[in-house]
Structures are given as structure tokens and as C-alpha cells.
Amino acid sequence: DQRLLEILASQTAIAIENARLYESVEKSLKEFSLIQDVGNSILSILDIDKLLSEIIDKIKEAFRYNLLSLLLIDENKNELYFATASGYSKEVMENLKFKIGEEGIVGRVAKEGKPQLIDDVTKCPYYIGGFETTKSEIAVPLKIKDKVIGVLDAQKEIVNGFSERDVGILSNLAIQISIAIENAKLFTE
């Protein structure tokens, strides 16, 4: 009986591990599919407003972030402004700006040009409390060559809501988004 139970337990453990692996592969496939889908759809859009809206919609649909924003740099004012967002009021988007290097997580990312993963915003000295429900935040720079042109930012209502995997995914998306924005700007010019 003991040997039979050991065999059953061993086979059950293998089945559980296979199910976990399958879930992981399925999730990775979905993420890579999103990256490809975003790339394919946004690289052909040359109207900047339509482009930015499409980017946010695709990412929001795939990852279901509570708050998602794409901020661009106003070089004349040395600040970030909301180019588009999901979950923010129109008033916040029109009035909230971030001084580069001085204000907020996005301001820091714009200055340093490196992603920031904040597991608990209440413990972050440069977090600007805008939403009581936000517990974790991730921000990645949008860059053309070595020049930061903006920041892609997402927030969640749980502590440790993001992982290094999210940093990788959003960083890959940020590369494609940056190229698409640059293409749209060049087309407009």
C-alpha cells in the first residue's frame, strides 16, 4: 500500500509540475504575442494621437493594469506630461506634470533612463501619492538611441504587484513604442 501511494504521489507531483509549466508557457506565449501584436499594429500608425491611444488600449487589454499611462517629455519645460492614459481623470491628465529628476517615480526614470520597479510605494521617498489605492508601480523609459523621450508607467492595487518579468515585457514594449512615436513624429514633420 505504501509503495502504491508513493507511486501515485510521484505521478501527481509530475502532473502538477506539468500543469505549472504549461501555464507558464501559455503566459509567455500570450506576452510574446502581445509584443508582436503591438509592434505590428503601432508601427503602421502614423497619426500620433491614434498611435498613443492604440498603445494604451492594447497593453491595458493584455495586462489589466489599474492605472496605465504614457508620458512624454516637454523639452522646453523639462517636464513630463500625460500623452495618454487609462484610469486617470481628464483633469489629472491635463493638470499633473512631473519635473524631470525632481518629481515622482516617472520623473526619476526620465532623468536616469532606467526602469524602476517599486514593490511598495508607501516606502518610496520619491513617490507622489496620487491614488490611495496604488500600492506598487513600474515605470520604464521610452528611448531613441540614448535619449529619453518619455515614460511608460503602470500601477497596481497590491504590494509586490509587479515582477522582473513585467520589467522585461514593458521594456520590450517601450522599445517598439519609442520607434513608433519617432516614426509618427517624423511623418508629421
Side-chain angles (χ1 to χ4, degrees):
D1 288 345
Q2 181 179 351
R3 181 70 184 134
L4 180 61
L5 285 175
E6 287 173 355
I7 292 170
L8 287 173
S10 176
Q11 289 179 349
T12 302
I14 291 170
I16 290 170
E17 183 60 24
N18 284 343
R20 286 185 187 148
L21 288 171
Y22 179 79
E23 268 183 26
S24 176
V25 167
E26 193 173 64
K27 185 177 181 180
S28 293
L29 230 91
K30 181 180 176 185
E31 292 164 353
F32 290 128
S33 177
L34 168 74
I35 292 169
Q36 182 180 5
D37 186 34
V38 168
N40 290 340
S41 64
I42 67 175
L43 289 175
S44 63
I45 300 172
L46 297 174
D47 176 81
I48 191 81
D49 294 328
K50 184 178 178 186
L51 170 69
L52 298 176
S53 178
E54 182 78 14
I55 289 167
I56 290 296
D57 289 347
K58 292 249 183 223
I59 296 172
K60 178 84 173 176
E61 177 185 321
F63 296 105
R64 309 216 184 278
Y65 295 135
N66 300 18
L67 297 169
L68 181 64
S69 60
L70 198 154
L71 301 103
L72 295 177
I73 292 178
D74 180 335
E75 291 182 12
N76 296 327
K77 296 180 180 178
N78 196 38
E79 65 186 15
L80 288 162
Y81 66 91
F82 284 90
T84 189
S86 176
Y88 292 86
S89 71
K90 187 176 179 179
E91 181 182 11
V92 166
M93 288 179 58
E94 290 174 353
N95 297 316
L96 187 59
K97 312 283 189 254
F98 300 89
K99 289 286 182 195
I100 295 173
E102 298 175 28
E103 297 173 338
I105 294 166
V106 293
R108 185 179 181 118
V109 168
K111 179 180 181 185
E112 295 177 1
K114 296 178 184 171
Q116 290 281 306
L117 172 60
I118 309 300
D119 292 325
D120 185 351
V121 296
T122 63
K123 296 178 181 174
C124 179
Y126 44 91
Y127 174 72
I128 296 176
F131 295 91
E132 293 176 13
T133 57
T134 294
K135 302 294 182 218
S136 58
E137 184 170 354
I138 186 172
V140 296
L142 302 174
K143 295 163 90 172
I144 296 294
K145 297 184 182 174
D146 289 331
K147 181 182 178 187
V148 176
I149 62 167
V151 176
L152 178 61
D153 182 75
Q155 299 177 27
K156 284 192 175 178
E157 294 179 341
I158 58 172
V159 173
N160 297 317
F162 300 99
S163 67
E164 287 299 325
R165 183 180 185 136
D166 293 304
V167 173
I169 291 166
L170 290 181
S171 294
N172 282 323
L173 285 170
I175 292 167
Q176 292 184 3
I177 292 166
S178 300
I179 293 168
I181 289 171
E182 188 67 13
N183 287 345
K185 283 182 178 179
L186 290 172
F187 179 77
T188 301
E189 289 173 7

